[in-house]
Amino acid sequence: LLHRLRGDARRRLATLKRQLRVQTYDDLIDDVAAALDGPHADALARRLREQYAIALVDEFQDTDPRQWRIFDRVFGAGSDDPALFLIGDPKQAIYRFRGGDVETYLAACATAEAAPPLAHNFRSRPAVLAAVAALYAQAGDQAFVDPRIAFHPVQPGGQRGDDDFLRDGEPAPALTLWQAPPPPADPNGKQKPWPAGRSRELATAACVAAIHEVLSQARAGKAKIAGRPVRPGDIAVLVRKHHEATRIRQALAKVGIPAVAAGNLSLFCTNEAHELLALLQALLHGDDDGRLRAALATVLVGQDAHQVAGLDADGEAMRQWRATALEWRERLDHGGPLALLGELCAQQATRLLALVDGERRLTNYLQLAEHLQEARRQALGLHGLVDWLERAIAQASSDDENQLLRLESDAHRVQIVTLHKSKGLEYPLVFLPFVGIGGKPRDPGRCVVALDPADGQPVLHWKLQAASSGWDAAAKAWKDGEAAEDARLLYVGLTRARDALWLATGGFYNHEKTALWPMVSDPAALAAVAPGAIVLDRRVPP
C-alpha cells in the first residue's frame, strides 16, 4: 500500500509539473536517463558524442547511479569509442543526504582502468602529513568502516617545509591532541563519561584557550607563518552543526577574538527573521497593542521587559510608541522594507554592535530586508509581505543557496565553518573541537534506502513488523552507512590543515562511538609514532 501511494503521488506530481511547465534538476537527469533507455537511445548517444568527444568527471565520488548510467552509456562501456575519465576520492564522499552515493564510485572503479594516483601533497607541511598518517595507522581497518576504502599515505610535494610555521623560533607541532580531564567517579566508584553538554563546554573552553594562546604568541612575535605573525584569519574552527558554530563564536567573542561563521543555516531559521515578522505584524495590526509590545521587545528595537511592562501604567509612553509605529508604517509604504530596516539598523547600530553577536544580527537584518524588498514587488501590500515572510519561515531550507547566511565581514577573523562547507578548501591552522564527542544513536525512522544485495540497486524499505520484510537488514545497512559517512567527514576535516591541527579528546559523551576514537584511544602510542610532530596537551583551561 505504501509503495502504491508513493507511486500515485509521483504520478500526480509529474502531472502538476507538466501543467505548470516546470522542471527540476532531478527531472533533467531523469529525462536524459530515460531517453537513453528508450527507443531513440542510439541516436541521442551519437548526437552527444558528436558534441563532446571526451568526458572528464571531477568529484566523481558524489555521482549518483542515474548520472553514472548516463556517462557510462554515452562515453564509457556503452560507447563504440570509450573516452571517459573519472577523478574522485571515495574518502571525501560526504553528500549521502543529497543523493551522493559512494557505492556508485566503488562500482565504477571495479570496471575502470586505474590511473596513476596523486601520490604527492603540495598543500601541507611534511609534519602535518606524518601526523595524519599516524592517526590512520592507529585506526587501521576501522578508519573508514567500509573495508573497500583505505587511507593511502602521500609524500610531501617539496613546496612546503616544517619551518613554515614557527612557535618560539622552532617548528611548531603538526598535531596537538588536547586531553580533557577525567570525569569524576560516581558514589559507587565508577567513572562515567562527561555528559554531552559538559563535554562541549570543556572542548569549547580548550579550543578558545588554544586559539588565544597562539594569537598572544603572535602579538609577541613568537608564532609565525611564512615569516609573519599568525593572524585570526589563519585559523579555522570546523564544526558539524550550527549550534556548535554559535557556541564557538560566542566563546571567542568573550575573550575579544573576532570570528565569522559560515554554515548551512537558512536565513529564515534565525531569530532575526522571527523578529521582523513580529515587527511587520505590529505594523499591519496598528490597533493591536499586544503585537506592538512584541515588536518593541525584539532585539532590533531593544526595549527590555521592565520597559515593556511599564507601558501598562504609562499611557503617554504608549501613545508615543503608537505614533512611532505609524511613522514606521509610512516609511515602509513609501520606501519599502529596505528603507525602514536600514533606518532602524542605523539608529540602533551602536547598541547592536555592542552585543556579542551584534554584527551577525545586523547582517541578518539587512539581508532579510533585501529579500523583503524583492518580495514587495509581487506582494499585495503589507498583508502580502507578512504572508510571504510567514511562508519563507515555514519553508526555510538550508539547501537553498539564496537563503544561506551572508558573511558579516571580510575582515581578518577566525573562520568557523561546517565540515561539509570546508570540503575543497584549506586553512593554515585547523581546530576540530567536537569530533571526539559522540551523539545519540541515530534512528532510521520509518523508512530507509538500502542497496539490494542481488543487483546493488537502491531499494526503499519500510519499517514493517513482518520478519520477512527485510527491515532489520536494511536498518543495519543504513546505520553502517551513516557511520561510514561520519568517518569520511572526519577525513575531510583532518585534511583541510596546511600548517597544524588541533583536536580535543578524552572521556567525552559517547566518545567510543566516534570516528576519531580508534585513532586516539592510545594517545601515548600515537605521539610515539611521530615524535615532535604530535604533542599531548593535558592543561585545563581557565
Side-chain angles (χ1 to χ4, degrees):
L1 173 62
L2 290 170
H3 282 278
R4 290 202 302 272
L5 288 172
R6 184 184 62 153
D8 183 61
R10 283 179 168 174
R11 286 188 294 272
R12 288 170 178 263
L13 180 60
T15 300
L16 179 61
K17 284 191 289 189
R18 281 196 303 271
Q19 291 172 348
L20 296 175
R21 304 184 69 171
V22 297
Q23 280 190 313
T24 66
Y25 287 113
D26 271 348
D27 293 330
L28 298 177
I29 295 171
D30 281 337
D31 288 348
V32 174
L36 287 171
D37 289 334
H40 305 293
D42 292 339
L44 175 58
R46 186 169 59 253
R47 290 286 185 89
L48 290 172
R49 284 306 299 268
E50 289 173 357
Q51 288 182 272
Y52 308 103
I54 297 173
L56 186 150
V57 185
D58 196 12
E59 301 289 356
F60 183 71
Q61 74 276 355
D62 298 325
T63 304
D64 68 26
R66 301 168 304 161
Q67 294 168 326
W68 167 233
R69 288 203 310 273
I70 293 170
F71 290 127
D72 193 39
R73 171 65 179 85
V74 179
F75 301 100
S79 168
D80 295 333
D81 184 19
L84 178 59
F85 299 85
L86 311 176
I87 302 94
D89 180 0
K91 299 186 295 299
Q92 298 191 57
I94 59 172
Y95 295 115
R96 189 167 180 250
F97 65 98
R98 289 183 181 173
D101 183 6
V102 72
E103 297 291 337
T104 301
Y105 176 95
L106 296 171
C109 283
T111 66
E113 179 182 344
L118 300 176
H120 290 80
N121 181 299
F122 295 87
R123 167 193 290 168
S124 304
R125 290 195 302 152
V128 172
L129 300 179
V132 172
L135 288 171
Y136 281 96
Q138 289 292 102
D141 295 338
Q142 303 178 63
F144 292 102
V145 181
D146 189 331
R148 297 171 295 175
I149 301 176
F151 176 83
H152 301 284
V154 294
Q155 300 300 315
Q159 302 294 318
R160 306 298 313 283
D162 286 334
D163 57 356
D164 286 352
F165 179 32
L166 301 176
R167 296 184 72 168
D168 290 324
E170 299 291 333
L175 170 61
T176 300
L177 207 64
W178 180 78
Q179 295 183 277
D186 63 17
N188 298 322
K190 294 183 179 180
Q191 199 172 54
K192 295 183 179 180
W194 291 106
R198 182 57 179 156
S199 297
R200 287 186 170 82
E201 290 175 2
L202 289 168
T204 299
C207 177
V208 170
I211 293 173
H212 188 273
E213 181 182 32
V214 72
L215 291 177
S216 297
Q217 286 186 335
R219 285 193 294 270
K222 296 181 179 180
K224 297 183 177 180
I225 292 177
R228 60 162 178 79
V230 175
R231 297 190 292 252
D234 295 321
I235 297 170
V237 183
L238 305 186
V239 298
R240 182 78 180 260
K241 299 177 181 177
H242 172 70
H243 70 82
E244 295 174 342
T246 301
R247 179 189 291 270
I248 291 290
R249 188 180 71 245
Q250 292 177 345
L252 288 170
K254 287 180 180 178
V255 297
I257 298 175
V260 60
N264 286 333
L265 179 72
S266 168
L267 178 67
F268 299 105
C269 285
T270 62
N271 291 331
E272 290 74 39
H274 291 272
E275 288 185 14
L276 294 191
L277 179 59
L279 177 61
L280 293 180
Q281 287 174 333
L283 300 185
L284 178 62
H285 304 280
D287 57 347
D288 189 334
D289 287 349
R291 291 186 185 275
L292 179 56
R293 285 186 175 89
L296 297 180
T298 61
V299 176
L300 175 60
V301 181
Q303 298 295 294
D304 62 31
H306 291 292
Q307 292 169 319
V308 173
L311 295 175
D312 290 335
D314 191 344
E316 179 59 29
M318 193 66 201
R319 282 191 293 273
Q320 289 178 359
W321 276 117
R322 291 193 194 106
T324 299
L326 285 174
E327 293 174 3
W328 290 344
R329 174 66 185 263
E330 291 178 2
R331 187 73 170 118
L332 178 68
D333 290 340
H334 288 89
L338 192 56
L340 172 61
L341 293 173
E343 186 175 292
L344 286 174
C345 287
Q347 292 171 356
Q348 304 292 337
T350 302
R351 178 180 58 82
L352 290 172
L353 289 173
L355 300 176
V356 169
D357 58 348
E359 192 172 358
R360 173 74 270 162
R361 288 179 179 273
L362 272 174
T363 302
N364 288 352
Y365 291 136
L366 295 174
Q367 188 179 356
L368 284 161
E370 292 178 15
H371 282 283
L372 287 167
Q373 189 77 12
E374 182 66 24
R376 180 176 180 247
R377 298 169 60 183
Q378 297 183 355
L380 296 175
L382 179 54
H383 201 295
L385 209 57
V386 169
D387 288 345
W388 181 89
L389 184 54
E390 286 179 335
R391 286 196 304 272
I393 291 173
Q395 300 171 4
S397 171
S398 59
D399 292 330
D400 185 348
E401 292 188 0
N402 292 324
Q403 297 183 24
L404 297 186
L405 296 184
R406 183 178 298 157
L407 295 186
E408 56 259 48
S409 173
D410 292 329
H412 291 295
R413 296 165 177 258
V414 173
Q415 307 291 306
I416 307 173
V417 187
T418 61
L419 285 161
H420 283 97
K421 202 173 184 69
S422 74
K423 183 174 177 289
L425 303 177
E426 67 175 71
Y427 306 94
L429 309 181
V430 169
F431 289 73
L432 292 161
F434 304 122
V435 291
I437 303 173
K440 294 181 180 179
R442 292 176 190 154
D443 184 356
R446 298 187 60 84
C447 62
V448 297
V449 175
L451 297 181
D452 188 330
D455 58 10
Q457 295 300 310
V459 176
L460 179 65
H461 288 265
W462 292 89
K463 186 176 183 179
L464 305 174
Q465 293 181 350
S468 60
S469 70
W471 169 257
D472 291 342
K476 182 181 183 304
W478 180 87
K479 292 177 181 178
D480 291 345
E482 290 290 300
E485 178 139 325
D486 285 345
R488 298 194 293 270
L489 197 59
L490 174 62
Y491 173 83
V492 168
L494 295 174
T495 53
R496 298 310 94 198
R498 197 183 75 190
D499 294 294
L501 269 167
W502 184 94
L503 302 174
T505 65
F508 293 137
Y509 177 75
N510 273 350
H511 62 279
E512 294 181 349
K513 296 181 180 179
T514 65
L516 181 68
W517 181 245
M519 304 177 179
V520 299
S521 57
D522 190 344
L526 177 64
V529 174
I534 301 175
V535 297
L536 307 181
D537 183 1
R538 295 184 175 88
R539 293 175 293 173
V540 179

